[in-house]
Amino acid sequence: MISVDAVGVEFSGSTLFNNVTFNINDNDRIALMGKNGAGKSTLLKIIAGVNKPTNGKISAPKEAVIAYLPQHLLTEDDCTVFEETSKAFAKILGMKARMEELNHQLETRTDYESDAYSKIIEEVSELSEKYYSIEEVNFDAEVEKTLLGLGFVRADFTRNTSEFSGGWRMRIELAKILLQNPDLILLDEPTNHLDIESVQWLEDFLKHSAKAVMVISHDKTFVDNLTNRTIEITRGKVYDYKTNYSHYLELRKERREQQQKQFDDQAKQIAEIQQFIDRFKGTYSKTLQVQSRVKMLEKMEIVEVDEVDTSALNIKFPPAPRSGNYPVITDELSKSYGDHVVFKNVTFTIARGEKVAFVGKNGEGKSTLIKAIMNEIDYEGSLQIGHNCQIGYFAQNQAALLDEKLTVFQTVDEAAKGDIRSKIKDLLGAFMFSGDAIEKKVKVLSGGERTRLAMIKLLLQPVNLLILDEPTNHLDIKTKDILKDALRAFEGTLILVSHDRDFLDGLANKVFEFGNKRVKEHFEDINGFLRNKKMENLKEIERTAKV
């Protein structure tokens, strides 16, 4: 059991949270929830031992292993993917090497009666007890299974880690954590850089193979499927619910309704007391009663209603001219880089008003096909963009195109036209820019902040063909809901690349599956696609078994 005992954090004289206390037990699958800035990542770092609290402490058994995956990291670039991942077993392999070294000394030394010889025997005995208590593992097989589950292919194993993007290196670090079989796994937004299949694999692994897990995630489906407990940080306090995310939302709503009733009852009581004080202040016969009520007010602990955002922000794309009937038509489309074939002979048509999802493992060509549509790369075959198409395009690198000299507010103010101009601050707030943050210069923004700002700019453009490549990374649950509502109401054509099942649910009505150098069209939503895909996999297993 790991204990968080009266932990508090202060920054520049203000309290982020205080007196946070709870225990983490075996088989706990905890979702750490709260609005952006509530202190979730800070608390995770404190439990991991990366940061120190201002007060309080974390207690854990001496042998307990706590593994932590932050939002941003870089693995070292001096070895292959397989070698880097195998470092997960460095401690065990180090124990084995040390035992072999000590046993060699025992065989070659002759000072049997010396203290040094006795100490070697003691160390060998202690190491042996630890080493042989560890379940025997085929390390290479475990590394291979985990890397494949997280989306790597065998050809990647011998490639240097420096060849991979930050997202893929995040997967390597995640693989190392999972292979260590720690007592507690701490994950900060682990699904941001994973495709749907890898998210499902991770979900299954954590549910059935991990000891205890605490996760911060804006992927509602992932959190719901994984967790059995929800801890919320709000107004510097924590609330602990022994249930998953969806049920937690219902209980939180009930809690806030009770708080509101208590707040209203107290406000009425305070008003009545104050009315009595004002009425009889200075009246000699009532002096003691007035003083008694003044003291009552001074001692009264004011009921607080936990923060909840009741503002409704409806974003509508500006009106755009009508496009042709078929915004995208491909015929025998192929793309290769040297000998590496990304996809070949891809033929499909996307009709005006359709909302389609591109899904599949990373590296199967989703973003490549979008670059072909945007005419950013050359290709073989035919690709036609329909008549009068006005394209809005969002990819992670769009953030690099922002004017660094402007402030956040100026960037949006420049792009806004019409009625939305009166709601610029509300729009910025919905995308997690509030207070002094709206006056920050773009050049000082983090990568996530730039991405959100680029998304706001796109929402203000009059387009009739919208292409979004992983738009929900760096967005919290509320912001994703605002974006999803805007996309539902969007009257044009939508092409959406996303690994977020909950975001795709109810948004895309057709799925294009990328894999094995081809693109397969599925005339169903994401839930139907996933159901059928599992059935197809089962049939493949049956066919393999019969051979």
Side-chain angles (χ1 to χ4, degrees):
M1 184 176 73
I2 294 163
S3 301
V4 179
D5 186 16
V7 166
V9 172
E10 292 179 10
F11 287 128
S12 305
S14 63
T15 300
L16 185 61
F17 50 76
N18 193 39
N19 202 31
V20 170
T21 299
F22 58 87
N23 294 327
I24 302 172
N25 306 301
D26 264 1
N27 299 315
D28 272 346
R29 307 284 185 270
I30 303 169
L32 188 57
M33 307 305 295
K35 63 178 281 188
N36 279 65
K40 302 187 298 295
S41 293
T42 301
L43 181 57
L44 218 60
K45 287 175 184 174
I46 289 169
I47 297 170
V50 175
N51 287 0
K52 297 289 183 188
T54 308
N55 44 61
K57 63 178 181 177
I58 307 296
S59 303
K62 185 181 176 184
E63 298 297 322
V65 176
I66 299 175
Y68 167 59
L69 180 78
Q71 280 194 60
H72 308 287
L73 75 142
L74 286 174
T75 55
E76 294 176 15
D77 290 333
D78 60 348
C79 57
T80 67
V81 169
F82 200 92
E83 288 166 346
E84 180 67 34
T85 309
S86 297
K87 289 179 182 178
F89 301 113
K91 188 176 178 182
I92 299 172
L93 295 173
M95 286 167 61
K96 185 181 179 184
R98 178 63 177 161
M99 279 165 49
E100 288 172 353
E101 179 193 330
L102 292 172
N103 280 322
H104 179 71
Q105 287 188 40
L106 291 176
E107 289 169 8
T108 55
R109 292 177 67 140
T110 56
D111 53 337
Y112 307 122
E113 304 300 324
S114 69
D115 289 343
Y117 198 88
S118 298
K119 284 181 180 176
I120 293 172
I121 292 173
E122 284 175 21
E123 189 178 349
V124 168
S125 299
E126 190 178 325
L127 279 173
S128 297
E129 190 177 338
K130 286 182 183 177
Y131 182 78
Y132 291 112
S133 68
I134 298 167
E135 187 180 345
E136 195 169 328
V137 172
N138 182 333
F139 299 132
D140 286 357
E142 289 299 307
V143 169
E144 181 175 303
K145 183 172 74 174
T146 305
L147 287 174
L148 292 174
L150 288 173
F152 291 92
V153 296
R154 283 187 173 81
D156 294 331
F157 293 177
T158 53
R159 291 172 59 192
N160 198 286
T161 56
S162 61
E163 297 176 31
F164 291 86
S165 67
W168 281 96
R169 284 187 275 187
M170 181 75 79
R171 294 189 193 207
I172 296 170
E173 201 64 24
L174 178 56
K176 286 160 63 178
I177 284 173
L178 301 181
L179 287 165
Q180 287 172 39
N181 191 27
D183 297 279
L184 172 61
I185 299 175
L186 304 170
L187 303 173
D188 196 345
E189 296 294 356
T191 66
N192 267 4
H193 301 286
L194 300 180
D195 53 44
I196 287 174
E197 290 186 10
S198 297
V199 170
Q200 289 176 319
W201 181 89
L202 176 62
E203 193 180 281
D204 186 68
F205 182 96
L206 294 173
K207 277 165 73 173
H208 299 113
S209 301
K211 294 177 183 175
V213 179
M214 178 177 273
V215 61
I216 299 170
S217 177
H218 293 132
D219 185 332
K220 282 196 284 191
T221 307
F222 175 74
V223 168
D224 248 354
N225 290 346
L226 172 64
T227 59
N228 54 23
R229 184 177 170 192
T230 306
I231 293 177
E232 178 193 15
I233 306 180
T234 180
R235 288 191 177 275
K237 298 179 290 186
V238 296
Y239 293 90
D240 195 345
Y241 299 86
K242 305 296 190 289
T243 186
N244 71 356
Y245 178 75
S246 290
H247 192 211
Y248 141 76
L249 288 179
E250 296 171 19
L251 296 175
R252 184 182 67 174
K253 184 182 177 186
E254 290 173 11
R255 184 187 87 217
R256 283 175 172 159
E257 285 171 354
Q258 290 169 359
Q259 287 176 336
Q260 189 64 53
K261 184 179 184 304
Q262 291 168 357
F263 179 85
D264 293 342
D265 290 346
Q266 189 183 61
K268 184 180 176 184
Q269 183 189 6
I270 290 170
E272 289 171 354
I273 294 171
Q274 190 63 53
Q275 192 177 16
F276 183 92
I277 293 169
D278 293 342
R279 182 179 175 186
F280 295 109
K281 189 168 52 181
T283 305
Y284 181 76
S285 61
K286 301 282 187 180
T287 300
L288 290 176
Q289 292 177 53
V290 169
Q291 288 175 346
S292 172
R293 281 166 172 77
V294 168
K295 287 179 180 176
M296 190 186 300
L297 282 184
E298 288 172 350
K299 290 180 180 178
M300 191 176 289
E301 192 172 326
I302 302 300
V303 172
E304 285 187 334
V305 180
D306 291 327
E307 53 200 345
V308 56
D309 195 342
T310 55
S311 63
L313 183 66
N314 295 316
I315 301 172
K316 287 188 176 179
F317 284 84
R322 185 181 173 93
S323 73
N325 289 334
Y326 301 104
V328 182
I329 301 172
T330 73
D331 186 32
E332 300 291 314
L333 186 70
S334 301
K335 177 60 185 175
S336 300
Y337 291 101
D339 295 333
H340 175 60
V341 178
V342 183
F343 50 73
K344 61 184 177 183
N345 302 331
V346 173
T347 298
F348 64 77
T349 299
I350 298 176
R352 183 181 60 237
E354 280 191 322
K355 291 180 169 66
V356 307
F358 284 5
V359 303
K361 289 184 179 179
N362 285 39
E364 294 286 357
K366 303 184 298 295
S367 296
T368 302
L369 185 50
I370 284 177
K371 287 175 182 174
I373 293 171
M374 294 303 299
N375 202 29
E376 292 182 355
I377 57 172
D378 56 5
Y379 50 82
E380 294 176 356
S382 171
L383 192 159
Q384 296 178 45
I385 301 299
H387 171 69
N388 206 30
C389 274
Q390 296 189 8
I391 302 176
Y393 174 45
F394 175 84
Q396 297 299 316
N397 62 358
Q398 297 302 108
L401 305 178
L402 296 170
D403 187 339
E404 293 196 336
K405 297 189 293 293
L406 298 180
T407 65
V408 169
F409 185 87
Q410 288 168 337
T411 301
V412 177
D413 187 47
E414 225 178 49
K417 303 285 187 293
D419 294 342
I420 195 68
R421 290 187 62 79
S422 63
K423 295 182 178 178
I424 288 178
K425 286 191 177 178
D426 292 336
L427 180 59
L428 286 166
F431 279 78
M432 298 178 277
F433 292 105
S434 57
D436 295 339
I438 68 173
E439 296 304 326
K440 278 185 179 178
K441 288 277 178 72
V442 171
K443 66 182 177 184
V444 302
L445 297 181
S446 68
E449 288 171 327
R450 289 187 185 215
T451 299
R452 296 200 303 273
L453 189 56
M455 175 60 72
I456 298 172
K457 275 195 73 175
L458 180 60
L459 291 172
L460 298 172
Q461 294 176 15
V463 299
N464 52 35
L465 171 57
L466 191 56
I467 302 173
L468 305 179
D469 193 349
E470 297 293 2
T472 60
N473 287 358
H474 307 294
L475 301 185
D476 68 5
I477 289 174
K478 174 179 171 291
T479 309
K480 284 199 290 190
D481 287 342
I482 290 169
L483 175 61
K484 187 172 178 178
D485 288 342
L487 295 176
R488 274 204 193 104
F490 178 58
E491 294 178 354
T493 307
L494 175 65
I495 299 174
L496 187 58
V497 178
S498 180
H499 65 268
D500 189 328
R501 293 160 291 172
D502 182 72
F503 188 72
L504 290 172
D505 183 20
L507 192 52
N509 48 31
K510 187 191 285 187
V511 175
F512 288 95
E513 179 189 8
F514 286 66
N516 299 319
K517 302 179 176 52
R518 62 193 185 102
V519 180
K520 185 178 179 183
E521 193 169 1
H522 297 261
F523 295 89
E524 58 199 349
D525 65 11
I526 191 65
N527 290 323
F529 164 73
L530 289 174
R531 278 195 304 272
N532 289 335
K533 195 167 190 310
K534 286 186 178 179
M535 287 172 61
E536 286 172 7
N537 288 345
L538 285 173
K539 286 175 185 174
E540 286 169 13
I541 291 167
E542 288 168 7
R543 281 199 298 271
T544 306
K546 288 174 185 174
V547 174

